[in-house]
Amino acid sequence: LKHWRMYSKMERIKNHYIICGFNETSKEIMRSFMKRNIQFILIDPEESNRQPIIDFGVEFYAIAQPQRRDVMLGLFIEDSKGLITTFDDDTLDISIIVTARLIMPDKEKYYIFSTSTTEMDSEKMKLLGANEVIVPAVTTGRRITSYVVHPPSQAMSSFLDLVAYGEKSNIDIVEIKISDESEIAGKTIGESQFKTKTGTNIIATVNSNGQINTIPDIHTVLKAGTSIIVLGTPQQLEKVATYSTGGRS
């Protein structure tokens, strides 16, 4: 009866994320999602994880094989916003990515994120449909190297962690592409009155070739197809997304 009630509630959620695998990585993701009220469904194949999942406070979960098409459809993948897979087994992650991408083929509209144990498998995952893949060993190594090369101050490290990971902060950083329909397309930052209308600042722009301008000024032209990187509260960033993709601020 308890499982039936949970499933009946799951049927009503939309724009959620599907998280595959119950482990230390997914726990950290779920903690952050819970703080931000981001809805998700967790799936794990191990029956032995059922009670730990309940104890962790997961509202919606399934014990099933995540690489199966019928299981993904049962988790309402077609109504979801994206999928995250975090298994230590790259073969299983790849199977999940392929299954999800066959159901949701548009990479611009449906996001798939994964972890990988090697850079070689990371490239395979991207070719097979993942939008982004993190190799924890590489990320950790680069982070430590950056500390050695550029010794951090406590204040700077804390600020970057707050922005990057959202811990105890109401600040986010996002990249948003300017559409042809946006009223700011073709205008300079100054002409767009971006800060006045959204309450945020553009901290960088990225052109269609991937070149990043980290010091945009009021004379920088916001061409359609250009991406802007913006720092602000979730409410401000919602305005930015609307303003940049064709709506009115």
Side-chain angles (χ1 to χ4, degrees):
L1 181 61
K2 185 186 297 183
H3 294 156
W4 181 86
R5 286 175 178 169
M6 179 179 69
Y7 194 81
S8 66
K9 288 181 180 179
M10 282 169 53
E11 289 183 312
R12 296 194 290 272
I13 71 171
K14 294 184 184 297
N15 295 320
H16 59 288
Y17 284 88
I18 296 172
I19 300 176
C20 304
F22 183 66
N23 50 41
E24 292 308 311
T25 300
S26 66
K27 286 178 185 178
E28 190 60 34
I29 294 167
M30 291 187 288
R31 286 189 191 100
S32 295
F33 277 17
M34 289 173 181
K35 287 178 182 177
R36 293 165 178 264
N37 296 316
I38 298 173
Q39 289 192 309
F40 64 88
I41 299 174
L42 173 68
I43 178 169
D44 189 271
E46 299 297 331
E47 178 63 37
S48 60
N49 279 334
R50 183 185 297 275
Q51 192 57 49
I53 288 170
I54 294 171
D55 293 342
F56 191 78
V58 177
E59 183 177 9
F60 301 123
Y61 69 90
I63 304 298
Q65 297 297 324
Q67 71 274 28
R68 290 180 48 172
R69 175 184 171 84
D70 60 331
V71 170
M72 282 295 167
L73 292 173
L75 297 178
F76 313 104
I77 186 173
E78 293 171 308
D79 293 325
S80 69
K81 192 172 184 178
L83 177 143
I84 303 163
T85 181
T86 66
F87 289 102
D88 293 329
D89 181 353
D90 286 355
T91 301
L92 180 54
D93 282 330
I94 288 172
S95 298
I96 293 167
I97 290 166
V98 170
T99 300
R101 190 52 76 197
L102 286 172
I103 300 171
M104 306 295 287
D106 192 337
K107 289 183 74 173
E108 294 292 322
K109 293 183 179 179
Y110 192 81
Y111 297 95
I112 298 176
F113 307 102
S114 181
T115 57
S116 175
T117 60
T118 69
E119 288 191 277
M120 183 179 295
D121 281 347
S122 169
E123 292 305 313
K124 290 179 186 176
M125 290 173 181
K126 289 179 181 177
L127 287 172
L128 291 169
N131 294 77
E132 296 292 342
V133 180
I134 293 174
V135 183
V138 173
T139 302
T140 302
R142 288 175 179 169
R143 184 74 179 269
I144 292 173
T145 300
S146 73
Y147 285 155
V148 173
V149 176
H150 305 289
S153 70
Q154 183 61 46
M156 181 60 73
S157 293
S158 298
F159 174 75
L160 292 175
D161 282 343
L162 287 174
V163 172
Y165 306 120
E167 290 299 315
K168 302 177 183 177
S169 170
N170 197 35
I171 297 175
D172 276 323
I173 184 168
V174 298
E175 177 183 350
I176 299 172
K177 184 176 287 186
I178 299 172
S179 71
D180 292 320
E181 294 77 24
S182 173
E183 66 176 272
I184 66 175
K187 294 181 180 179
T188 65
I189 291 177
E191 291 169 341
S192 72
Q193 297 183 304
F194 192 88
K195 182 173 177 59
T196 300
K197 293 188 175 183
T198 67
T200 64
N201 284 313
I202 297 172
I203 61 176
T205 60
V206 186
N207 67 20
S208 56
N209 295 321
Q211 295 175 314
I212 301 176
N213 175 10
T214 57
I215 48 172
D217 58 29
I218 60 172
H219 304 295
T220 300
V221 179
L222 303 172
K223 297 179 181 178
T226 295
S227 292
I228 55 175
I229 297 175
V230 185
L231 183 71
T233 66
Q235 293 78 14
Q236 290 171 329
L237 296 178
E238 284 181 13
K239 286 185 180 180
V240 172
T242 300
Y243 192 37
S244 304
T245 56
R248 298 281 171 173
S249 64

